[in-house]
Amino acid sequence: MHRLLRITTRSGRLLADALLAVGLLWALGLLVYQPLCLLPVAAMAGLALWLWRRRPGSTLPLRAWLWVLFLLCVCMYQLLPVPRGPWQQPWEHQATCKLDGTLLTVEGMRDFRYRTEDDYTPRYITRTFDLTRLRGVDFAECRWDGHTAICHTMVSFSFADGSHLVVSPETRLPRGTAQSALGGLYKKYALTYVIGTEDDIFALRTNYRHEDLYLYPLDITPDQALALLVSTLDLAMDANSAPSAYNVFTANCSTGFISLLHRFLPGLQGHYPGLPVHNSLIVDILYNHHCLQTRPGESLPQLRKRAATGYDIPARNYSAFLRARLEK
């Protein structure tokens, strides 16, 4: 019994030390990416040194001081403000939505025209959509540089007249700030929902960045599609009116969508209530719970192959050419 207790105690200490090591590694990143946090940490270190020199026997053990250091860094992180701009041009303006009966008017819808990824003509348009003509929803997955564990996710709503409305959750970058995965852990960016056209948001990725874009039509009823559209726009407007910090794990391009998909896709209800950190598994989950439109007997690899859009899609009638490829 005593041996078992000793083993359990030793295992608990090892686990606590491992968690502490991870926490201190995160805290080190916080001090690098948010140098303002150095001041209180340095003050605490000075206090610890002063206490040790005055009364060495009464000071806390090193492990306890390290836990205090980690908790102080957590408190400093919570107190950090959300970035407020000024913003880089792609995220400088945000769309607004107005619903009048069955007519949805989107003002400031992004519709940039690109020559290269970094050379473009900014353009914002106003477009009115008849919600009675909503015909479907595509879940979009974008991969780059061979990544398999992470991807960017978006949704595109299709209307009977051939128009499309894309919602893309993205990092809103202040001017002079470069995006990085580590920076996304330390409140360096805001979270914004870009509302735009496929000619902008999708074409940027397929034609100029040459990223791997996949479009998966959701198996959804018209009423569910309408509810998903309205809730998605509500989510976007709330996020844009009350800015929050982007976080790689807790507030990324998939967190909001996951909560909405659980609400409106019956196949997902009761399954996977938490966010898959490995967000490239979302399509696997949707497929396994029959939330995607598939052909009889179609496997997931076959669906992925058919959903791939390819690159360099003609800019004229972009959406029509895009879907013509998917139908082959």
Side-chain angles (χ1 to χ4, degrees):
M1 184 65 181
H2 291 292
R3 182 180 179 185
L4 178 60
L5 183 60
R6 286 198 302 272
I7 293 175
T8 302
T9 302
R10 189 180 301 116
S11 300
R13 286 179 179 174
L14 289 174
L15 178 60
D17 288 345
L19 293 175
L20 178 60
V22 172
L24 292 175
L25 188 61
W26 172 85
L28 177 62
L30 178 68
L31 301 181
V32 171
Y33 282 92
Q34 297 286 0
L36 286 176
C37 296
L38 279 170
L39 185 60
V41 171
M44 192 206 73
L47 174 63
L49 180 61
W50 180 79
L51 289 173
W52 178 79
R53 293 188 64 179
R54 284 181 60 87
R55 304 176 65 182
S58 63
T59 58
L60 292 173
L62 176 61
R63 184 182 283 107
W65 277 112
L66 292 177
W67 274 109
V68 172
L69 172 64
F70 167 66
L71 293 175
L72 176 63
C73 288
V74 171
C75 293
M76 291 302 303
Y77 173 83
Q78 294 295 333
L79 293 173
L80 287 171
V82 177
R84 296 289 178 175
W87 307 108
Q88 295 181 23
Q89 192 169 55
W91 305 278
E92 193 169 12
H93 300 287
Q94 295 175 317
T96 59
C97 302
K98 180 181 178 181
L99 187 60
D100 184 8
T102 62
L103 296 180
L104 169 69
T105 299
V106 183
E107 297 181 357
M109 190 172 179
R110 207 179 80 178
D111 189 38
F112 285 15
R113 289 295 178 261
Y114 298 88
R115 291 170 289 276
T116 67
E117 178 181 352
D118 300 313
D119 180 17
Y120 50 81
T121 301
R123 198 169 85 130
Y124 297 91
I125 61 176
T126 297
R127 185 166 290 177
T128 299
F129 300 90
D130 184 349
L131 298 185
T132 64
R133 307 192 72 192
L134 178 63
R135 290 295 178 265
V137 187
D138 293 314
F139 183 80
E141 176 189 67
C142 187
R143 301 170 182 261
W144 62 95
D145 296 338
H147 287 301
T148 57
I150 57 173
C151 63
H152 181 62
T153 58
M154 303 166 280
V155 289
S156 179
F157 297 90
S158 303
F159 294 82
D161 61 357
S163 60
H164 303 272
L165 184 154
V166 181
V167 181
S168 174
E170 300 182 9
T171 52
R172 196 178 193 191
L173 303 180
R175 293 176 190 172
T177 301
Q179 183 170 351
S180 72
L182 288 177
L185 291 171
Y186 301 109
K187 289 190 179 180
K188 294 294 290 183
Y189 328 120
L191 175 66
T192 188
Y193 283 75
V194 178
I195 301 175
T197 64
E198 291 188 345
D199 306 69
D200 175 341
I201 297 176
F202 285 176
L204 171 62
R205 291 165 169 81
T206 60
N207 291 6
Y208 302 97
R209 293 180 181 169
H210 283 180
E211 296 174 348
D212 298 321
L213 179 68
Y214 302 83
L215 284 188
Y216 301 93
L218 296 179
D219 189 3
I220 193 170
T221 68
D223 288 342
Q224 291 167 345
L226 178 58
L228 179 59
L229 170 59
V230 172
S231 295
T232 300
L233 294 179
D234 285 343
L235 177 69
M237 294 299 100
D238 289 344
N240 292 347
S241 62
S244 60
Y246 176 91
N247 186 280
V248 171
F249 296 113
T250 61
N252 58 39
C253 67
S254 301
T255 49
F257 287 157
I258 284 292
S259 63
L260 294 181
L261 292 176
H262 274 105
R263 286 172 56 190
F264 299 113
L265 297 180
L268 276 190
Q269 293 173 4
H271 300 281
Y272 307 100
L275 167 72
V277 174
H278 184 15
N279 73 343
S280 63
L281 288 175
I282 294 175
V283 169
D284 300 62
I285 294 171
L286 293 175
Y287 174 85
N288 290 333
H289 292 280
H290 313 290
C291 298
L292 302 176
Q293 294 181 21
T294 59
R295 294 172 178 174
E298 188 172 41
S299 66
L300 181 55
Q302 291 171 332
L303 176 60
R304 284 191 184 277
K305 183 176 180 180
R306 185 165 61 86
T309 63
Y311 316 119
D312 300 323
I313 299 166
R316 188 177 180 85
N317 296 324
Y318 176 87
S319 293
F321 278 106
L322 177 70
R323 281 163 175 75
R325 288 189 178 188
L326 299 177
E327 291 173 0
K328 292 180 180 179

